[in-house]
Amino acid sequence: MNILVINCGSSSLKFQLIDAQSEKLIAKGLCERIGIDGSRLVYTPAGGKKQITEAEMKDHTAAISLVLKALMDPETGAVKDLSEIGAVGHRIVHGGENFSKATLITEDVKKAIADCSDLAPLHNPANLIGIEACEALMPSVPMVAVFDTAFHQTMPEESYLYALPYHYYKDYRIRRYGFHGTSHEYVSSRAAAVLGKPIEELKIIVCHLGNGASISAVKYGKCVDTSMGLTPLEGLVMGTRSGDIDPAIVEFIANKEGKSVSEILRVLNKESGVYGVSDGFSSDFRDLEDAYEAGNENAKRAMEVFIHSVVKYIGAYTAEMNGVDAICFTAGVGENSPIIRDRILQHLTYMNITIDEVANHKRGEEIVISNPGPGPNVLVIPTNEELSIARQTYAIVAGEN
Ligand code: AMP
């Protein structure tokens, strides 16, 4: 069965068509600038050439209609007709406390996703638009929602509660939710497979280090803590997000610069992180790494602050789980930067970790990069959120869940 995986943003839409049995990618692509002048579809069949089509997409239904046309193109398409798409898996950013696993989309599920929109105002409404556009064009194809927050729903109360007046939790559900859950789940289960041990016996820390970054503590297969919170702003230093700060800084800046709370929140989301600490040099870790190597002080400062935040969370989660068996690196930076991994691991010699330099310089493989010894294993596991969404979607429509 072929599964169409959809990741819908407010003006963009990414898709992959995956054969659920062989787990092979059939085609993938991206619609950009939906509802804006200059919209285009980028479509790449597996093993084929990338095609770019400039075409007006007035809304998401128009975008998905073009995606289906590209997938069914007699020359370059991947399927003959809609009957070859068995189900659609939608990435949904926020499931609140309602969803601890993927679920078949019904009217009630759509309402519950809409009810979480105040928790993810930029994402959930866009995700819903994607669902409705697919429903309009593929009315008989089952749809499944896979939530970024679901894997973290196993966190105990002491991890997810903020020390605020309790009625904020009871009245408004203000708590830690965590994000990147599909990635944390996929990577922790792959780590157990690579180590050849049951996940139920392992304490794993997953470092998802990309432009957005989060860490999770996965004890015996269940998430017990994660660094992102009510929103993706909390936790690690990121590309442009500040991560953890003293909340009193908001009022302090407001008084100094006459800014509103939402203006300051924009600074914390878009102008902070390594971009802010590097004094606006770059939010891109490749630029920072090159400049760091060349001795650029702004890049050095930003990299050190980022590395410090990762090291701090690894220590905290090791303490929380009373030990750690495996530390995993994933996402853009975690998968591709031997330098950053090396710099982080140099702080972990107290855990008896030493690096296998040859393994640390390999790319694109699931690999153990620590030397055998008494300390935890360190692994690089390329994440694959789309495959995980396809698997979960297939499990539901094939009645395995
Ligand atoms: P993601 O959000 O997971 O797509 O990750 C994006 C981040 O990964 C960007 O900051 C990239 O600069 C970074 N990245 C990608 N490739 C490399 C690389 N080879 N070395 C360092 N950073 C990289």
Side-chain angles (χ1 to χ4, degrees):
M1 180 191 290
N2 298 329
I3 310 284
L4 181 61
V5 176
I6 299 276
N7 182 354
C8 199
S10 55
S11 64
S12 70
L13 182 154
K14 290 189 209 144
F15 65 94
Q16 287 195 4
L17 188 67
I18 295 172
D19 176 340
Q21 272 89 11
S22 66
E23 302 203 330
K24 290 224 164 74
L25 177 72
I26 301 170
K28 66 175 181 179
L30 165 72
C31 298
E32 292 171 312
R33 300 178 63 84
I34 300 169
I36 308 172
D37 281 351
S39 45
R40 60 182 208 157
L41 164 73
V42 183
Y43 170 77
T44 316
K49 262 186 35 204
K50 186 193 276 189
Q51 300 158 27
I52 298 176
T53 313
E54 315 266 343
E56 198 200 352
M57 298 175 209
K58 67 175 183 358
D59 54 24
H60 288 75
T61 310
I64 291 172
S65 171
L66 280 173
V67 169
L68 295 177
K69 208 168 138 214
L71 285 170
M72 293 187 289
D73 185 277
E75 306 236 308
T76 52
V79 293
K80 278 206 301 291
D81 54 45
L82 276 187
S83 70
E84 292 185 25
I85 298 177
V88 182
H90 291 268
R91 178 189 181 210
I92 310 295
V93 166
H94 220 305
E97 291 186 316
N98 296 323
F99 299 103
S100 54
K101 56 182 181 167
T103 186
L104 195 66
I105 296 176
T106 61
E107 288 304 312
D108 284 348
V109 168
K110 283 198 282 180
K111 186 175 174 315
I113 294 170
D115 287 346
C116 294
S117 285
D118 62 341
L119 292 168
L122 295 180
H123 296 102
N124 273 32
N127 299 157
L128 268 175
I129 289 171
I131 292 174
E132 283 172 353
C134 286
E135 284 177 339
L137 294 164
M138 296 177 268
S140 55
V141 179
M143 312 264 159
V144 170
V146 180
F147 299 91
D148 252 22
T149 47
F151 181 59
H152 303 303
Q153 277 295 304
T154 50
M155 280 188 287
E157 200 175 49
E158 62 269 27
S159 297
Y160 73 69
L161 275 186
Y162 293 115
L164 296 170
Y166 189 57
H167 73 87
Y168 288 155
Y169 171 62
K170 283 192 300 182
D171 295 343
Y172 311 126
R173 297 287 140 189
I174 293 177
R175 50 160 284 178
R176 174 182 311 288
Y177 289 98
F179 299 88
H180 296 141
T182 309
S183 175
H184 287 284
E185 181 173 24
Y186 175 85
V187 169
S188 54
S189 72
R190 286 306 309 155
V194 170
L195 295 174
K197 294 198 176 138
I199 196 162
E200 294 77 17
E201 292 175 11
L202 291 170
K203 298 172 184 174
I204 301 175
I205 293 175
V206 178
C207 308
H208 178 112
L209 309 180
N211 189 33
S214 66
I215 297 208
S216 65
V218 183
K219 190 174 182 182
Y220 309 143
K222 290 197 161 45
C223 175
V224 293
D225 209 348
T226 192
S227 57
M228 284 179 167
L230 176 76
T231 75
L233 184 55
E234 193 185 349
L236 295 173
V237 171
M238 309 182 210
T240 60
R241 293 190 201 123
S242 64
D244 301 330
I245 60 161
D246 178 346
I249 291 171
V250 174
E251 188 195 28
F252 197 86
I253 299 173
N255 290 340
K256 288 278 179 205
E257 300 199 343
K259 286 192 161 82
S260 67
V261 170
S262 39
E263 281 168 338
I264 297 168
L265 261 291
R266 200 191 61 77
V267 172
L268 297 181
N269 273 297
K270 305 271 184 210
E271 293 176 16
S272 301
V274 287
Y275 175 80
V277 180
S278 68
D279 204 15
F281 177 74
S282 181
S283 64
D284 190 300
F285 279 86
R286 273 168 296 203
D287 298 342
L288 288 166
E289 221 179 84
D290 293 345
Y292 175 74
E293 302 269 273
N296 178 306
E297 282 303 315
N298 284 328
K300 181 166 185 294
R301 183 188 328 113
M303 293 272 277
E304 296 299 351
V305 172
F306 172 74
I307 287 160
H308 172 85
S309 81
V310 179
V311 168
K312 194 157 105 175
Y313 267 98
I314 291 174
Y317 287 171
T318 303
E320 270 189 48
M321 294 194 288
N322 196 11
V324 59
D325 300 302
I327 298 171
C328 308
F329 289 99
T330 195
V333 182
E335 290 168 29
N336 295 304
S337 176
I339 295 175
I340 292 180
R341 290 194 297 260
D342 183 72
R343 292 282 291 108
I344 292 168
L345 295 173
Q346 278 172 25
H347 291 267
L348 305 184
T349 49
Y350 74 95
M351 290 185 177
N352 293 311
I353 290 173
T354 58
I355 290 207
D356 174 340
E357 290 298 342
V358 175
N360 188 38
H361 281 81
K362 295 208 166 144
R363 268 172 206 262
E365 283 178 44
E366 292 182 332
I367 193 165
V368 177
I369 60 164
S370 52
N371 289 313
N377 289 288
V378 181
L379 299 93
V380 175
I381 306 279
T383 194
N384 194 337
E385 293 171 270
E386 289 79 11
L387 176 58
S388 177
I389 291 171
R391 277 183 187 160
Q392 295 181 59
T393 301
Y394 179 67
I396 286 179
V397 296
E400 291 173 23
N401 247 3

